[in-house]
Amino acid sequence: MQGLDFTVVAPYWDLLLIGAWWTAVLTVSAGALSFVGGILFAVIVLYAPKIVAYPVRALMWVFMGTPLLLQLFLIYFGLVQIGIDIPALAAGIVGLGLHFAVYNADIIRAGIVAVDVGQTEGARSIGFGKWQTLRHVVIPQAIRNTAPPIGGNLIALLKESSIVSVIGIAELVHSAQLAISETFRPFEFYITAAALYYILNLVLEAALRRFERHVEVSR
Amino acid sequence: MSTQRPMVEVRGARKSFGAVEVLKGIGLSVDRGQIVAIIGPSGSGKSTLLRSINHLESLDSGEVWLDGVQVNQKLHGHAFERHINKVRQQMGMVFQHFNLFPHLTVIENISMGPIILKGMTKSDAHALAHSLLSKVGLADKIDAYPSRLSGGQKQRVAIARALAMQPKVMLFDEATSALDPELVDEVNAVMKQLAAEHMTMLIVTHEMRFAGEVADRVLFMDGGVIVEEGPPGDMFRAPQKDRTRSFLKKYLSA
């Protein structure tokens, strides 16, 4: 039996920090995609003609009904077979981003529907068109009202991003595994990786709280 | 004045919600600078009539004209969208529940229309908003969010927002009905000021005294028709129809 000895981590500190950096990059990129995609999907499902809305709903249904791991395998390994070769990092961002976009879309859709119809009438009476009204009046309010659950999804995304290590992206868990394969010290490295995730989460939560406080001002 | 074309004209307006016909062939003409008050019991169709003038309700049949342009033209899809957006820019609408945008500050609420729809620069639009806010007595609230304002202040901002588009006509849909009684006067004062500046106005209201003070003409609506109309003095002192008399009795004795 080995005792715990965290000094083994020191030589791998740079590797772990680079891993944490890529986790942050993944979270920010996939998070942005999941946010923009969520708005886009919500608007399409609510307002687009059926010929556009139905395929998008089908896509959403597939993304919600299948595991993220399988989706990543399909995007990274599967698409190559039909001639679409995506770099691992891009596949990871797209997979994570679309997966969470579907969840965000459901939340934002509810948020849009909940905005008082008087807001739309107020905007239309000034002369704003349908899309201008959505863009400048309805969607900003829907986002503000649904900020807490969308923030929750972003935090989930940060943690779920560890799964893209399976397609070889050098994020935090991947770095920890690399270090473990050289040192055979899983406990120290997994604990350290967990601590780094926790710190990243604290930063993200602080940013979300800042946004929510900013939104509170207008209530 | 009478040879001029009317600023607002409604011809044969019909509208049903389901099986209920709320407008039964309304005709109405408002001259430039004229102030028309529309009174009547709840469900008489007065709000629907006002809302159909800027096409927030679409008529089943009949025509609405604004300054020689038909509002409810038989256009389709995008062509109608473009047309109605242009027409609405020329009509200011004030709602019972204000409908200010809660995510924007007072000055943003007012300047947004001119900036986005008229391509006005931000500084010009803010200058315009500032002068309108001074006019409605709220120059000190430019950076406040609507949630920090009283009902009367909100409604004055809403009037300023409508005026920022420099409309040809202002439509007021029970603008003071949601206000505490002590806040009604500050909104009425702004509307009187507009009247003094010869703004064309259609005012749907439950306040007979205010209607009497400000309107050139009063329309009494009931059951989807205009029962009686005339100058406020005649209407309130000597209504011709029984229905008008019994309605006014409830209000004027109160």
Side-chain angles (χ1 to χ4, degrees):
Chain A
M1 193 189 102
Q2 292 174 308
L4 277 184
D5 177 11
F6 278 94
T7 57
V8 297
V9 174
Y12 295 92
W13 193 236
D14 282 356
L15 179 73
L16 291 174
L17 281 186
I18 290 168
W21 162 252
W22 283 112
T23 290
V25 169
L26 268 167
T27 304
V28 170
S29 318
L33 179 62
S34 76
F35 183 66
V36 175
I39 294 171
L40 206 66
F41 287 165
V43 169
I44 287 172
V45 166
L46 283 173
Y47 303 107
K50 279 176 187 162
I51 194 161
V52 183
Y54 280 7
V56 168
R57 271 164 70 167
L59 184 81
M60 288 173 66
W61 184 79
V62 168
F63 265 90
M64 203 169 252
T66 56
L68 176 56
L69 185 63
L70 196 72
Q71 291 161 16
L72 287 169
F73 283 160
L74 271 172
I75 291 170
Y76 188 56
F77 299 116
L79 289 182
V80 178
Q81 235 180 302
I82 56 169
I84 305 173
D85 192 358
I86 305 173
L89 183 65
I93 290 170
V94 169
L96 274 171
L98 285 180
H99 185 83
F100 281 91
V102 168
Y103 288 96
N104 284 342
D106 264 357
I107 295 167
I108 292 166
R109 185 175 57 162
I112 288 173
V113 172
V115 172
D116 184 69
V117 67
Q119 291 293 310
T120 300
E121 291 190 348
R124 297 305 305 267
S125 76
I126 295 169
F128 287 108
K130 279 182 198 152
W131 293 110
Q132 287 171 320
T133 299
L134 264 182
R135 187 180 147 205
H136 296 288
V137 175
V138 176
I139 290 173
Q141 291 182 53
I143 299 300
R144 279 166 166 76
N145 294 341
T146 55
I150 290 174
N153 274 352
L154 203 56
I155 287 167
L157 188 151
L158 167 62
K159 292 179 289 186
E160 292 290 313
S161 71
S162 62
I163 208 169
V164 302
S165 59
V166 297
I167 56 170
I169 298 172
E171 49 69 69
L172 185 47
V173 166
H174 193 270
S175 302
Q177 284 169 334
L178 215 65
I180 292 161
S181 68
E182 288 179 18
T183 59
F184 304 105
R185 305 291 291 233
F187 207 90
E188 286 88 344
F189 281 99
Y190 282 142
I191 290 275
T192 307
L196 285 169
Y197 271 109
Y198 187 69
I199 290 165
L200 286 172
N201 239 327
L202 284 181
V203 173
L204 180 57
E205 275 174 39
L208 289 171
R209 258 204 308 279
R210 238 181 107 106
F211 176 74
E212 279 179 42
R213 256 206 310 277
H214 170 74
V215 167
E216 276 307 310
V217 178
S218 63
R219 268 185 224 283
Chain B
M1 284 297 272
S2 59
T3 55
Q4 264 185 339
R5 71 172 172 228
M7 182 57 94
V8 176
E9 197 174 7
V10 178
R11 296 180 198 150
R14 287 185 177 276
K15 172 76 180 174
S16 298
F17 291 118
V20 185
E21 193 173 29
V22 287
L23 298 179
K24 297 175 181 166
I26 299 266
L28 167 69
S29 177
V30 183
D31 288 330
R32 187 182 302 270
Q34 205 176 40
I35 295 156
V36 173
I38 305 171
I39 60 171
S42 301
S44 59
K46 56 193 192 305
S47 276
T48 306
L49 173 63
L50 196 76
R51 288 164 58 82
S52 66
I53 289 172
N54 77 346
H55 205 76
L56 284 179
E57 305 289 352
S58 61
L59 294 176
D60 297 335
S61 64
E63 293 177 359
V64 178
W65 291 75
L66 173 74
D67 200 16
V69 176
Q70 189 177 352
V71 175
N72 58 343
Q73 283 181 29
K74 299 276 175 287
L75 294 167
H76 291 285
H78 293 298
F80 185 77
E81 262 288 296
R82 267 196 304 278
H83 160 73
I84 198 66
N85 293 341
K86 274 272 177 292
V87 171
R88 280 178 176 149
Q89 290 182 30
Q90 301 165 31
M91 289 191 262
M93 177 105 179
V94 177
F95 301 86
Q96 184 177 358
H97 296 290
F98 328 123
N99 298 355
L100 291 178
F101 307 132
H103 62 300
L104 301 176
T105 61
V106 163
I107 197 157
E108 288 167 342
N109 263 277
I110 297 170
S111 57
M112 182 181 173
I115 291 172
I116 295 171
L117 298 173
K118 291 189 164 174
M120 202 181 269
T121 64
K122 196 175 166 188
S123 64
D124 284 353
H126 279 201
L128 170 67
H130 205 280
S131 75
L132 287 168
L133 280 170
S134 304
K135 182 172 170 167
V136 300
L138 290 170
D140 55 329
K141 299 291 185 190
I142 49 171
D143 292 321
Y145 281 95
S147 59
R148 295 285 177 269
L149 304 178
S150 71
Q153 291 171 334
K154 281 181 194 169
Q155 198 58 298
R156 285 186 280 156
V157 171
I159 292 171
R161 183 176 72 176
L163 291 174
M165 295 302 289
Q166 280 147 343
K168 292 177 174 172
V169 54
M170 287 285 285
L171 311 173
F172 293 88
D173 189 7
E174 301 194 23
T176 56
S177 294
L179 298 179
D180 293 337
E182 69 266 28
L183 301 178
V184 168
D185 285 345
E186 65 188 56
V187 174
N188 284 348
V190 170
M191 289 167 69
K192 277 184 194 162
Q193 195 185 337
L194 286 177
E197 294 165 9
H198 305 294
M199 172 64 81
T200 310
M201 303 203 270
L202 274 92
I203 305 170
V204 166
T205 184
H206 284 291
E207 284 182 83
M208 302 306 139
R209 186 175 302 147
F210 177 69
E213 283 169 16
V214 78
D216 303 310
R217 211 164 97 221
V218 177
L219 305 185
F220 172 63
M221 278 183 74
D222 191 26
V225 296
I226 295 172
V227 175
E228 186 170 352
E229 65 171 290
D234 301 354
M235 280 282 283
F236 292 137
R237 236 172 293 124
Q240 299 299 305
K241 302 272 170 51
D242 287 343
R243 185 67 193 92
T244 317
R245 250 192 303 272
S246 72
F247 173 78
L248 286 173
K249 214 162 85 186
K250 274 179 232 153
Y251 273 95
L252 297 180
S253 62

